[in-house]
Amino acid sequence: MASLALISTDAGLHARLTAELGGSGWAVTRFPSLSAIQDPKATPDVLAVEAASLPASASSLPRGVPVLVIVANASELGAPEAGDDIVFSEAEGAEWRMRLERLVARSPQENLRRQYDETLASMAPGIVVVDADLRVVFANPRAYESVGYREGTLGKAELARIVVREDQARIRDTLAKGEYPRGVDVRLVRREGREIECSASFAPMIGAEDHTVISFEDVTSERETERELLKTMQFLESLIDASVDAIIATDMSQRIVLFNPSAERVTGRHVADAMANLTLEGFLGRASSELIMQRLLMDDYGGEGRLEPTLLEVTNVHGVQIPVQLSASLIYEAGEPSAIVLIFTDLRERVRMEERLAEAQKRLAFTDKQGVLAELAGTAAHELNQPLTSMMAYAELLLRQSTPGSVGAKAAEVLIRESERMAEIVRKIGKITKYETTSYVGQQKIFDLDRAADSSTSDPGAEG
């Protein structure tokens, strides 16, 4: 409501103006003199002063307030008719309203207010001014557009009409504490019921501290993008953490910036210690780290910026060298390398498996050798038994036909004795079940027939 300060001693004029202007949005207050206006903050929109009460100097009038001079008739000021700033005391209420509205329209404050309104109307963010009860007293076109209302339809509606319930309580509590946050997310409800997310800033209104200026921008799409990026980042982090391969990333100064749980398991280092104290050179050694950097910049090992799987050794927390199969790549930003990613697999278990496989193959080969040897021994014993039996039979026949003590008899006895010895050897050959050797002369090894014929052991480790 606009205010009119009436400087007059005429109580009747005050009563008439109060009655005639009361329904048009004007509040009339009468003061007997200019000096009676005690409160400097209570600046009226228009000052109506009787001609007789005008001060000699205009500097005594309130600065920036339009003045309406009240005259009894035109001859009082020597003017043929009244202007916009002059009104006859006996004028009707409609004449008074016209004069007042014209003065306000061309007053510096009104011009300034209009400039402010035009400035706020052209601003990209939504601007809302609310009073102490959070009722909307002003909203620029962008604010109406954001919430889907026609301009001027919010009126004195509370923020509850456009702010979701949870955020209403938060705004009330914050402003009640005299706090004016900036860049906070507030959810608004559009006219059709759809919620939008806005980034809002709050500030007290200068000259009306019980009013708050709220500026906001619709950031619904930006927040959805942020949530999608966050979801993707969390998925990638979970994927890296769950990988059975060790994954390490460094910046271009070779400082560790990522160290997944598998890398912790392989190296025995905690991620915090690795990221605080470990470098690529400390992890791989100078020679290996320089080799990786050289190959990453060449085309011969998987293409520029990539290193195909390579066998290397890494050093764990105890200084033990661990064999790994490592691949690496450069991460580029704006065409320039910004990070190095290394993926490696611990080969210790594979090496142990290969050793066990080699041992098993060795045992299998030895078993095959023993099988062949046993078959060969059986065949040899079978083939030797027949001619040996014939030799023994003829030797005994020769002994019976020879004169005892003669040379022939002695020769026959030697033949029989050596044939029996050969028969024992053939018997042992037939019982061979494993491959055994024994030392002969110097470093030379020969077949140990006695041990080979003993079937109580079959451990290939006894060889030699």
Side-chain angles (χ1 to χ4, degrees), residues 135-260:
R135 290 177 300 185
V136 177
V137 297
F138 172 81
N140 72 342
R142 181 58 177 167
Y144 282 105
E145 178 185 345
S146 297
V147 295
Y149 287 86
R150 296 194 312 275
E151 290 187 32
T153 56
L154 287 177
K156 290 289 185 178
E158 293 187 13
L159 282 186
R161 185 172 173 183
I162 58 175
V163 179
V164 299
R165 182 177 302 175
E166 295 81 359
D167 290 346
Q168 292 173 31
R170 181 160 55 94
I171 292 174
R172 288 182 183 276
D173 292 343
T174 301
L175 295 181
K177 296 175 183 177
E179 299 175 357
Y180 299 93
R182 295 181 178 274
V184 297
D185 283 358
V186 175
R187 290 170 296 164
L188 304 183
V189 182
R190 285 179 54 86
R191 187 172 181 271
E192 71 274 15
R194 180 172 62 89
E195 289 188 10
I196 61 173
E197 291 184 77
C198 296
S199 178
S201 296
F202 299 76
M205 189 171 185
I206 298 175
E209 285 72 14
D210 60 337
H211 286 53
T212 303
V213 180
I214 306 173
S215 61
F216 63 92
E217 290 185 274
D218 186 352
V219 293
T220 304
S221 60
E222 288 86 345
R223 295 297 181 263
E224 289 177 354
T225 301
E226 289 174 3
R227 282 191 288 269
E228 287 298 324
L229 290 175
L230 180 61
K231 183 178 178 180
T232 301
M233 184 179 68
Q234 290 174 342
F235 172 77
L236 292 176
E237 289 178 349
S238 299
L239 186 64
I240 291 172
D241 289 344
S243 173
V244 295
D245 290 328
I247 301 177
I248 293 176
T250 75
D251 56 23
M252 294 311 294
S253 62
Q254 301 190 7
R255 300 289 300 181
I256 302 293
V257 296
L258 186 148
F259 206 77
N260 78 337

Side-chain angles (χ1 to χ4, degrees), residues 285-358:
R286 175 174 295 180
S288 294
S289 63
E290 290 179 353
L291 176 67
I292 288 175
M293 294 305 300
Q294 290 173 359
R295 292 188 174 182
L296 281 173
L297 300 176
M298 300 172 66
D299 295 329
D300 302 332
Y301 299 94
E304 184 176 355
R306 298 177 63 87
L307 174 63
E308 59 188 9
T310 304
L311 296 179
L312 290 173
E313 289 186 339
V314 300
T315 305
N316 70 3
V317 70
H318 303 295
V320 177
Q321 297 294 311
I322 301 173
V324 298
Q325 179 175 275
L326 181 145
S327 58
S329 62
L330 290 174
I331 303 298
Y332 291 89
E333 291 184 4
E336 295 295 329
S338 60
I340 309 167
V341 177
L342 301 97
I343 303 176
F344 59 91
T345 304
D346 187 354
L347 297 181
R348 286 177 294 183
E349 184 61 29
R350 183 182 299 180
V351 169
R352 286 192 289 267
M353 290 179 62
E354 290 176 351
E355 290 175 350
R356 289 195 294 268
L357 180 59

